[in-house]
Amino acid sequence: QRTRRVVDGNIYEYDRYCPHQGADLCEAEIYEGSVVCPRHGWKFDISHGGNCQDTGASINARLIDE
């Protein structure tokens, strides 16, 4: 499943669940351009494919052109 969020005025789509332990990212906090996992605080850089710099995991984010 995927979810969409507006970040810095742009619409992004990404995996709804964290690849670590499946936490729901639908209502996750956005902090400094990253989706923050509510369960363990992993930060996924939304503008760089949704990659977590610390772990290498990804939520496969992409910019949506609408």
Side-chain angles (χ1 to χ4, degrees), residues 15 17-21 42-45 48-61:
D15 297 340
Y17 299 100
C18 179
H20 179 222
Q21 289 187 348
W42 287 16
K43 295 179 183 117
F44 299 95
D45 188 339
H48 290 96
N51 295 314
C52 179
Q53 186 175 19
D54 295 335
T55 67
S58 177
I59 58 171
N60 304 302

Side-chain angles (χ1 to χ4, degrees), residues 23-53:
D24 192 345
L25 301 176
C26 186
E27 300 294 327
E29 178 182 351
I30 304 293
Y31 179 75
E32 295 182 350
S34 292
V35 175
V36 181
C37 176
R39 190 169 293 163
H40 292 106
W42 287 16
K43 295 179 183 117
F44 299 95
D45 188 339
I46 199 79
S47 64
H48 290 96
N51 295 314
C52 179
Q53 186 175 19

